[in-house]
Amino acid sequence: MSTILQTTDSASQVYALEITCPLGLENVLEKELHDEGLTQTRFGEGQVKLTTDLEGMYKACLWSRVATRVMLPIANFKIDSADELYDGVKAIKWSDHMSASDTIAIDCHGTNHHIRNTQFGAVRAKDAIADYFVELSGERPNVQKEQPDVRIALRIKREVVTVSIDLSGESMHRRGYRQQGSMAPLKENLAAGLLMRAGWGRDCGLTQLIDPMCGSATFLVEAAMMSLDIAPGLGRQYWGFKGWKQHDHRMWQQLMDFAKNRKKDPAELGLRFQGTDRDQRAIAAARESIKRAGMVGVIDVAMMPFQEHEFDINPELPGLVITNPPYGERMGDEMALIALYRQLGEWVVSHVRGWQFMMLTSNDHLARQIPARPEKSTRVINGGIECRAYIFSLLEGRIKEDVVAQSVMTPGAQMFANRLQKNVKKMKKWVDSNKIQCYRVYDADMPEYAVAIDIYQDWAHVQEYQAPKSVDPEKAKQRLFEVMSAIPTALNIAESNVILKQRQRQSGKEQYEKLDQSKHEMIVEEYGCDFIVNLKDYLDTGLFLDHRPVRKLIQDRANGKRFLNLFCYTATASVHAGQGGARSSLSVDMSNTYTEWARRNIELNEFSERNHQVERADCIEWLKQSRDVFDLIFMDPPTFSNSKKMADVLDIQRDHGDLLRLAMARLAKGGELIFSNNYRRFILDADLEQEFEVKNITHETFDPDFDRNSKIHQCYVIKHKS
């Protein structure tokens, strides 16, 4: 039996609304509704129920900073089948709410034994509404997913269905000042709710607000809007109630006009809104948001680490520091961020004692790096991640003075930082003159700090070598922390741009297995070639940096040649060959992951797929069957592989003779085969030097970033004897 919850007519109509909000902010939403005179409320999980008239409904839409959606339930009923869902929706008097000529969209949330997926539930509801209007007038409404005249929400919870009109039309966190696709994950209504929870608001007495890692300035813009009494709904052009039959345009316009007149003059308030971020894209997004929100001259942001910025702070006036720093979703990320959180904690207790400080993070261990005792915390969901917003009062008695006294940079970290800076200085001229974007800056130079550090533009890729069993694990962990805390300062790289992996001997398919699912890809350039690299998802990044000179050699010798790349990995050598004018290239590898990556690299550089082909195959089996001939061959096989995709186990020391003979059979007279491998104890089969002309060019294939490690690879040029 369907229960109709709302009837029509009369200006005194009372509506029972459900106003949703971010989890954890229900009481904040209720308080702001009360502040607008909307007092008939009760709250549940993720929502506040409000009983009000049409004006109150408009006020909730226009003035709520915390609400996500304003929903008007119009019916609920029980169902025992999909047909009963159809019947219940069709029984609603839809002509009270819309016309047949209106466009609609239906959002279905929840499933049960009868409605097993939300798309099916939405389709059944759409059919019911269409049939209702066909029977009434012979017309049917059209579906329009984006900004329809009327948006309908279907909520299924066990056997009960609730049908609502979505009066907001789309999520109310969209104020209109942030560009679509902006990089910041912090939603505006969550930011506003946290600001309120931290004590910020209209006439709150706080006159200074700082966000030291401001991202796209969401906290700053929301705080300024609150202080200037700017209705968050003023900038929105689309509302779901505008296509609703009971909408009173005149009343809405009067409320809009009143809201415009409530705005305060920022010059009269004497408020300061300041933010910093070291990421150029974040600051660009922040400045665009500030401009679109009309806050130029009100909010100041600077592209600079907060540790180095001179904020305009009046110590006599109260203020709030609020920020959403990187969380660190993996162990390596957390290790890199410990130093950042310690520096943040040290900064707030040094610069803004007596203020309030709120920090949003998903990582309790990182939160404990702040040298103060939190007064309270609020559990919220940010970007699908469960987080806590910690509030600290930076007052005497709340600050852990003994922790503050400790230096963030330990002597070991300082020593490591000095070594990094020395290496950077030594290589700077070479890096600049060759426009090198990716290079190794450290490779276990000091044995006790057993890591390799590679620079990829403004990122640091850190590989921790597996420590011997004789090394105390706690001591190894401390040294790793010293490494991770030194890198951002020494290399001027954001803490969130430091990626840590542990490198161990890989066998079989392990080298292809994913470590992460972040799909962190970027494009880097090398001698006119563009490459896709992935710093997080795999053990290797897609670009072997030590082979840079070998790739350059191939590029220099490839003009007019037919090029074969065996064990091609991501086909970076093939791209260099194409850049050098190769007539054609063929790249062979047995990995689906890497052959697909290879195709993308070739496509990125706009080489013809017909002339520059990629083939997935076992290289040994391919060599046995092929009859093609090539002028230039590159082969960089793994040291060991027992992949199930291979017919046999490959051991490069044992098998390289047979492998090279197979490859030489595909080499044209006068051609060259470049053979490389990274087995540190490799010894070339003496018989090969009797059969072919062999030249060891290993010492010629090290750039300055690898000249400290002469065993990282061996390289030979092999030709047929004339």
Side-chain angles (χ1 to χ4, degrees), residues 10 115 183 192 213 292 309 314 332 344 355 411 449 554 642 664:
S10 104
I115 310 299
M183 61 183 290
M213 287 172 272
R292 289 162 65 98
H309 186 63
N314 186 338
L344 175 62
W355 285 27
Y449 294 98
I554 290 168
N642 62 351
M664 291 298 290

Side-chain angles (χ1 to χ4, degrees), residues 148-177:
D149 295 319
V150 178
R151 184 173 288 278
I152 299 155
L154 206 70
R155 189 177 73 242
I156 302 171
K157 191 171 182 179
R158 290 187 283 273
E159 76 278 8
V160 177
V161 176
T162 302
V163 182
S164 303
I165 303 293
D166 184 348
L167 299 170
S168 43
E170 61 184 9
S171 177
M172 288 167 59
H173 81 271
R174 293 178 181 148
R175 316 284 204 224
Y177 65 78

